Amino acid sequence: MPITRPADVPHPLASPAVGAELQQGLLATHAHVSPKFLYDALGSKLFEAICELPEYYPTRTEAAIVARYGAEIARAIGPGATLIDLGAGNCAKAAALFPLLHPAQYVAVDISYDFLHEAIGRLQQRFPHIEMTGLGLDFSQQLVLPAVVRPERRVFFYPGSSIGNFTPDEALAFLQRVRAASDEAGGLLIGIDLVKDTALLDAAYDDALGVTAAFNLNLLRHVNRLLGSDFAVPQWRHLGYYNAQEQRVEMHLEAREALTVRWPGGARQFAKREAIHTENSYKYRLPQALGLLEQAGFGTVHAWTDPDQWFALIYARPLAR
Ligand SMILES: C[S@@+](CC[C@H](N)C(=O)[O-])C[C@H]1O[C@@H](n2cnc3c(N)ncnc32)[C@H](O)[C@@H]1O
């Protein structure tokens, strides 16, 4: 079956709004760049490598939950769904679900479109009987799916605790958009990282090999290409640590020396040790996560966790409108 690439969906980073968003963040009192800019083609490969690290427990913990409770998950969801993978990356997690869920259509959505396109091409060869569509979309502000996505039995798949990249208010708005795009016969299968020991969290986001550091620093090269800026990677240092008060891991890039970054139409001076905030990864307690889903309009919920209660995989069905 051929993979569909809808002609009416432009590249998600081609818009002039991208430059404006980056500039606004860099000029803010506390400079920030959205974590969605961590993912160019190299960033997506570095994230794949992070998932292999012994320190990075979320991927293997979530996979172990699927391996252990796959039959129950399949019973809760049922066959023949339109499986919509939000931030699909290398599509590996969806591939593990196919033999359990037998979806009628697989729709992989990702801002890192070139990486996604290669991944879904490989996947289609492995599963030629499943209809597949790859969509390059930025879903941080809106979730508009083109007509090629079947309207019935939409099951959104949002693994890896990517929801943690949003603040709780943004997460609620995002989940409400997912609810609005769902039908009552569908649902949301979401992976949520749970609050745990600080040392585990610190190590997961600042690993011994420095892969997470490379992932974070690569954002500067991606911004250089998108904005025409002159960030020099050696002038910056990766920071990743758990902020218990905010219940989130934070990643920052800290200037090793006083410096100025320039781009067409703008510039920003950074003092030594001044930082750019590049990612939050909020951790939830299970009742908080369930409360958020309920607030967003999801009702019946099944939740599966690992024996250490490090991670939760939740299937939530939309409440009737
Ligand atoms: C943490 S990775 C998770 C990848 C994979 N789903 C997993 O669980 O291993 C986040 C993924 O979401 C994509 N992504 C991040 N922000 C996005 C956005 N605003 N719109 C679309 N995709 C986004 C990234 O390119 C990346 O592939």
Side-chain angles (χ1 to χ4, degrees):
M1 202 163 296
I3 308 162
T4 326
R5 180 182 184 176
D8 54 344
V9 179
H11 193 286
L13 296 178
S15 153
V18 167
E21 178 182 347
L22 285 169
Q23 175 154 265
Q24 190 188 28
L26 288 173
L27 293 176
T29 311
H30 299 289
H32 55 89
V33 173
S34 164
K36 69 189 179 192
F37 295 110
L38 289 163
Y39 299 94
D40 60 356
L42 178 58
S44 293
K45 288 195 175 108
L46 289 166
F47 181 73
E48 250 188 328
I50 287 172
C51 293
E52 300 285 319
L53 294 170
E55 294 95 330
Y56 197 74
Y57 61 85
T59 307
R60 64 170 188 275
T61 309
E62 192 177 39
I65 295 171
V66 172
R68 182 162 178 190
Y69 298 108
E72 276 182 40
I73 294 168
R75 267 199 301 281
I77 297 178
T82 304
L83 185 66
I84 305 170
D85 191 351
L86 297 173
N90 64 9
C91 307
K93 291 181 180 172
L97 289 179
F98 288 166
L100 296 166
L101 298 189
H102 307 287
Q105 186 189 26
Y106 173 60
V107 181
V109 182
D110 207 292
I111 197 168
S112 186
Y113 185 71
D114 297 333
F115 183 82
L116 175 73
H117 192 60
E118 279 183 28
I120 201 170
R122 286 190 299 271
L123 199 64
Q124 184 75 85
Q125 284 177 358
R126 280 179 60 200
F127 299 93
H129 56 287
I130 300 177
E131 180 188 327
M132 296 190 185
T133 295
L135 293 178
L137 290 182
D138 174 358
F139 51 61
S140 55
Q141 302 300 324
Q142 52 175 2
L143 185 60
V144 180
L145 297 172
V148 68
V149 181
R150 296 184 188 200
E152 65 276 354
R153 294 233 40 232
R154 286 182 171 178
V155 171
F156 288 88
F157 181 41
Y158 197 37
S161 205
S162 292
I163 190 79
N165 292 156
F166 293 122
T167 64
D169 284 348
E170 290 166 349
L172 176 60
F174 174 80
L175 293 172
Q176 285 168 334
R177 290 197 290 276
V178 173
R179 168 66 189 94
S182 309
D183 58 300
E184 273 148 39
L188 166 66
L189 182 64
I190 183 169
I192 296 193
D193 200 10
L194 302 176
V195 172
K196 59 183 63 60
D197 182 60
T198 299
L200 283 166
L201 290 167
D202 285 349
Y205 291 82
D206 193 8
D207 61 281
L209 288 180
V211 183
T212 315
F215 172 66
N216 196 9
L217 287 161
N218 178 60
L219 169 139
L220 298 176
R221 292 199 177 142
H222 192 201
V223 172
N224 281 349
R225 287 201 308 280
L226 293 169
L227 186 63
S229 50
D230 62 355
F231 280 103
V233 170
Q235 291 181 313
W236 298 84
R237 183 200 326 271
H238 161 73
L239 301 177
Y241 54 82
Y242 185 55
N243 176 339
Q245 205 175 339
E246 298 287 345
Q247 226 177 281
R248 68 189 188 200
V249 171
E250 296 179 12
M251 294 208 315
H252 301 265
L253 290 166
E254 184 187 81
R256 291 177 186 269
E257 59 202 73
L259 57 92
T260 302
V261 180
R262 295 184 175 80
W263 59 89
R268 164 86 192 235
Q269 289 184 341
F270 288 89
K272 184 174 178 174
R273 305 207 63 188
E274 198 176 350
I276 305 172
H277 193 160
T278 54
E279 188 180 86
N280 287 322
S281 182
Y282 280 83
K283 308 302 167 190
Y284 286 85
R285 299 185 194 283
L286 192 53
Q288 290 175 322
L290 299 179
L292 193 63
L293 285 163
E294 194 182 332
Q295 252 187 299
F298 290 91
T300 322
V301 159
H302 302 253
W304 299 272
T305 60
D306 56 293
D308 296 316
Q309 304 265 306
W310 282 359
F311 202 91
L313 189 60
I314 301 173
Y315 184 57
R317 300 282 307 273
L319 283 169
R321 271 188 267 251

